[in-house]
PDB file of all heavy atoms in Angstrom:
ATOM      1  N   LEU A  95     117.302  72.191 100.410  1.00  0.00           N
ATOM      2  CA  LEU A  95     116.332  71.239 100.307  1.00  0.00           C
ATOM      3  C   LEU A  95     115.231  71.546  99.344  1.00  0.00           C
ATOM      4  O   LEU A  95     114.713  70.599  98.664  1.00  0.00           O
ATOM      5  CB  LEU A  95     115.721  71.065 101.731  1.00  0.00           C
ATOM      6  CG  LEU A  95     116.511  70.262 102.780  1.00  0.00           C
ATOM      7  CD1 LEU A  95     115.960  70.269 104.126  1.00  0.00           C
ATOM      8  CD2 LEU A  95     116.768  68.867 102.290  1.00  0.00           C
ATOM      9  N   VAL A  96     114.721  72.811  99.301  1.00  0.00           N
ATOM     10  CA  VAL A  96     113.678  73.165  98.328  1.00  0.00           C
ATOM     11  C   VAL A  96     114.157  73.004  96.980  1.00  0.00           C
ATOM     12  O   VAL A  96     113.462  72.413  96.122  1.00  0.00           O
ATOM     13  CB  VAL A  96     113.322  74.633  98.646  1.00  0.00           C
ATOM     14  CG1 VAL A  96     112.307  75.112  97.454  1.00  0.00           C
ATOM     15  CG2 VAL A  96     112.573  74.814  99.942  1.00  0.00           C
ATOM     16  N   LYS A  97     115.409  73.397  96.673  1.00  0.00           N
ATOM     17  CA  LYS A  97     115.907  73.333  95.232  1.00  0.00           C
ATOM     18  C   LYS A  97     116.067  71.762  94.853  1.00  0.00           C
ATOM     19  O   LYS A  97     115.680  71.446  93.785  1.00  0.00           O
ATOM     20  CB  LYS A  97     117.373  73.896  95.364  1.00  0.00           C
ATOM     21  CG  LYS A  97     118.102  73.907  93.926  1.00  0.00           C
ATOM     22  CD  LYS A  97     119.457  74.281  94.004  1.00  0.00           C
ATOM     23  CE  LYS A  97     119.657  75.766  94.366  1.00  0.00           C
ATOM     24  NZ  LYS A  97     121.138  76.227  94.337  1.00  0.00           N
ATOM     25  N   ARG A  98     116.468  70.940  95.841  1.00  0.00           N
ATOM     26  CA  ARG A  98     116.659  69.586  95.521  1.00  0.00           C
ATOM     27  C   ARG A  98     115.264  68.868  95.279  1.00  0.00           C
ATOM     28  O   ARG A  98     115.045  68.113  94.408  1.00  0.00           O
ATOM     29  CB  ARG A  98     117.442  68.751  96.627  1.00  0.00           C
ATOM     30  CG  ARG A  98     118.846  69.279  96.717  1.00  0.00           C
ATOM     31  CD  ARG A  98     119.620  68.361  97.750  1.00  0.00           C
ATOM     32  NE  ARG A  98     120.905  68.860  97.986  1.00  0.00           N
ATOM     33  CZ  ARG A  98     121.866  68.351  98.675  1.00  0.00           C
ATOM     34  NH1 ARG A  98     121.633  67.159  99.261  1.00  0.00           N
ATOM     35  NH2 ARG A  98     123.042  68.833  98.856  1.00  0.00           N
ATOM     36  N   ALA A  99     114.222  69.388  96.076  1.00  0.00           N
ATOM     37  CA  ALA A  99     112.866  68.783  95.891  1.00  0.00           C
ATOM     38  C   ALA A  99     112.423  69.177  94.483  1.00  0.00           C
ATOM     39  O   ALA A  99     111.734  68.315  93.784  1.00  0.00           O
ATOM     40  CB  ALA A  99     112.019  69.403  97.027  1.00  0.00           C
ATOM     41  N   ILE A 100     112.558  70.489  94.052  1.00  0.00           N
ATOM     42  CA  ILE A 100     112.160  70.938  92.768  1.00  0.00           C
ATOM     43  C   ILE A 100     112.839  70.171  91.611  1.00  0.00           C
ATOM     44  O   ILE A 100     112.323  69.673  90.682  1.00  0.00           O
ATOM     45  CB  ILE A 100     112.366  72.449  92.610  1.00  0.00           C
ATOM     46  CG1 ILE A 100     111.356  73.134  93.571  1.00  0.00           C
ATOM     47  CG2 ILE A 100     111.971  72.890  91.215  1.00  0.00           C
ATOM     48  CD1 ILE A 100     111.584  74.606  93.603  1.00  0.00           C
ATOM     49  N   ASN A 101     114.183  69.955  91.857  1.00  0.00           N
ATOM     50  CA  ASN A 101     114.987  69.301  90.709  1.00  0.00           C
ATOM     51  C   ASN A 101     114.759  67.842  90.671  1.00  0.00           C
ATOM     52  O   ASN A 101     115.058  67.260  89.699  1.00  0.00           O
ATOM     53  CB  ASN A 101     116.494  69.576  91.149  1.00  0.00           C
ATOM     54  CG  ASN A 101     116.898  70.931  90.660  1.00  0.00           C
ATOM     55  OD1 ASN A 101     116.366  71.595  89.813  1.00  0.00           O
ATOM     56  ND2 ASN A 101     117.882  71.489  91.297  1.00  0.00           N
ATOM     57  N   GLN A 102     114.090  67.272  91.655  1.00  0.00           N
ATOM     58  CA  GLN A 102     113.650  65.855  91.471  1.00  0.00           C
ATOM     59  C   GLN A 102     112.631  65.742  90.340  1.00  0.00           C
ATOM     60  O   GLN A 102     112.384  64.589  89.986  1.00  0.00           O
ATOM     61  CB  GLN A 102     113.120  65.264  92.773  1.00  0.00           C
ATOM     62  CG  GLN A 102     114.219  64.900  93.845  1.00  0.00           C
ATOM     63  CD  GLN A 102     113.513  64.485  95.157  1.00  0.00           C
ATOM     64  OE1 GLN A 102     112.326  64.365  95.301  1.00  0.00           O
ATOM     65  NE2 GLN A 102     114.422  63.784  95.948  1.00  0.00           N
ATOM     66  N   GLY A 103     112.007  66.786  90.045  1.00  0.00           N
ATOM     67  CA  GLY A 103     110.929  66.742  88.953  1.00  0.00           C
ATOM     68  C   GLY A 103     111.737  66.795  87.507  1.00  0.00           C
ATOM     69  O   GLY A 103     110.994  66.611  86.554  1.00  0.00           O
ATOM     70  N   PHE A 104     112.958  67.047  87.524  1.00  0.00           N
ATOM     71  CA  PHE A 104     113.697  67.084  86.307  1.00  0.00           C
ATOM     72  C   PHE A 104     114.598  65.783  86.238  1.00  0.00           C
ATOM     73  O   PHE A 104     115.205  65.427  87.251  1.00  0.00           O
ATOM     74  CB  PHE A 104     114.490  68.283  86.135  1.00  0.00           C
ATOM     75  CG  PHE A 104     113.753  69.630  86.304  1.00  0.00           C
ATOM     76  CD1 PHE A 104     113.870  70.400  87.486  1.00  0.00           C
ATOM     77  CD2 PHE A 104     112.980  70.065  85.242  1.00  0.00           C
ATOM     78  CE1 PHE A 104     113.181  71.541  87.443  1.00  0.00           C
ATOM     79  CE2 PHE A 104     112.346  71.205  85.321  1.00  0.00           C
ATOM     80  CZ  PHE A 104     112.360  72.006  86.527  1.00  0.00           C
ATOM     81  N   GLN A 118     110.502  76.979  85.570  1.00  0.00           N
ATOM     82  CA  GLN A 118     110.614  76.314  86.912  1.00  0.00           C
ATOM     83  C   GLN A 118     111.995  75.945  87.131  1.00  0.00           C
ATOM     84  O   GLN A 118     112.450  76.117  88.348  1.00  0.00           O
ATOM     85  CB  GLN A 118     109.786  75.006  86.842  1.00  0.00           C
ATOM     86  CG  GLN A 118     108.251  75.311  86.730  1.00  0.00           C
ATOM     87  CD  GLN A 118     107.423  74.046  86.524  1.00  0.00           C
ATOM     88  OE1 GLN A 118     107.942  72.969  86.530  1.00  0.00           O
ATOM     89  NE2 GLN A 118     106.207  74.163  86.514  1.00  0.00           N
ATOM     90  N   PHE A 119     112.817  75.468  86.099  1.00  0.00           N
ATOM     91  CA  PHE A 119     114.157  75.145  86.396  1.00  0.00           C
ATOM     92  C   PHE A 119     114.986  76.379  86.694  1.00  0.00           C
ATOM     93  O   PHE A 119     115.791  76.305  87.782  1.00  0.00           O
ATOM     94  CB  PHE A 119     114.737  74.529  85.176  1.00  0.00           C
ATOM     95  CG  PHE A 119     116.193  74.121  85.280  1.00  0.00           C
ATOM     96  CD1 PHE A 119     116.543  72.813  85.785  1.00  0.00           C
ATOM     97  CD2 PHE A 119     117.248  74.906  84.888  1.00  0.00           C
ATOM     98  CE1 PHE A 119     117.876  72.492  85.992  1.00  0.00           C
ATOM     99  CE2 PHE A 119     118.631  74.599  85.084  1.00  0.00           C
ATOM    100  CZ  PHE A 119     118.996  73.374  85.555  1.00  0.00           C
ATOM    101  N   LEU A 121     114.079  79.405  88.124  1.00  0.00           N
ATOM    102  CA  LEU A 121     113.581  79.883  89.306  1.00  0.00           C
ATOM    103  C   LEU A 121     114.198  79.142  90.445  1.00  0.00           C
ATOM    104  O   LEU A 121     114.522  79.617  91.577  1.00  0.00           O
ATOM    105  CB  LEU A 121     112.144  79.976  89.420  1.00  0.00           C
ATOM    106  CG  LEU A 121     111.435  81.094  88.517  1.00  0.00           C
ATOM    107  CD1 LEU A 121     109.959  81.021  88.676  1.00  0.00           C
ATOM    108  CD2 LEU A 121     111.979  82.479  88.871  1.00  0.00           C
ATOM    109  N   ALA A 122     114.442  77.795  90.255  1.00  0.00           N
ATOM    110  CA  ALA A 122     114.932  76.896  91.315  1.00  0.00           C
ATOM    111  C   ALA A 122     116.530  77.027  91.337  1.00  0.00           C
ATOM    112  O   ALA A 122     117.043  76.835  92.464  1.00  0.00           O
ATOM    113  CB  ALA A 122     114.579  75.538  91.123  1.00  0.00           C
ATOM    114  N   ASN A 123     117.141  77.171  90.165  1.00  0.00           N
ATOM    115  CA  ASN A 123     118.636  77.053  90.081  1.00  0.00           C
ATOM    116  C   ASN A 123     119.355  78.355  89.824  1.00  0.00           C
ATOM    117  O   ASN A 123     120.502  78.249  90.125  1.00  0.00           O
ATOM    118  CB  ASN A 123     118.912  76.004  88.987  1.00  0.00           C
ATOM    119  CG  ASN A 123     118.519  74.600  89.446  1.00  0.00           C
ATOM    120  OD1 ASN A 123     119.107  73.889  90.132  1.00  0.00           O
ATOM    121  ND2 ASN A 123     117.298  74.190  88.947  1.00  0.00           N
TER     122      ASN A 123
END
Side-chain angles (χ1 to χ4, degrees):
L95 283 172
V96 171
K97 183 187 296 185
R98 293 185 186 187
I100 293 173
N101 282 335
Q102 281 184 351
F104 303 105
Q118 292 172 4
F119 180 87
L121 289 178
N123 291 279

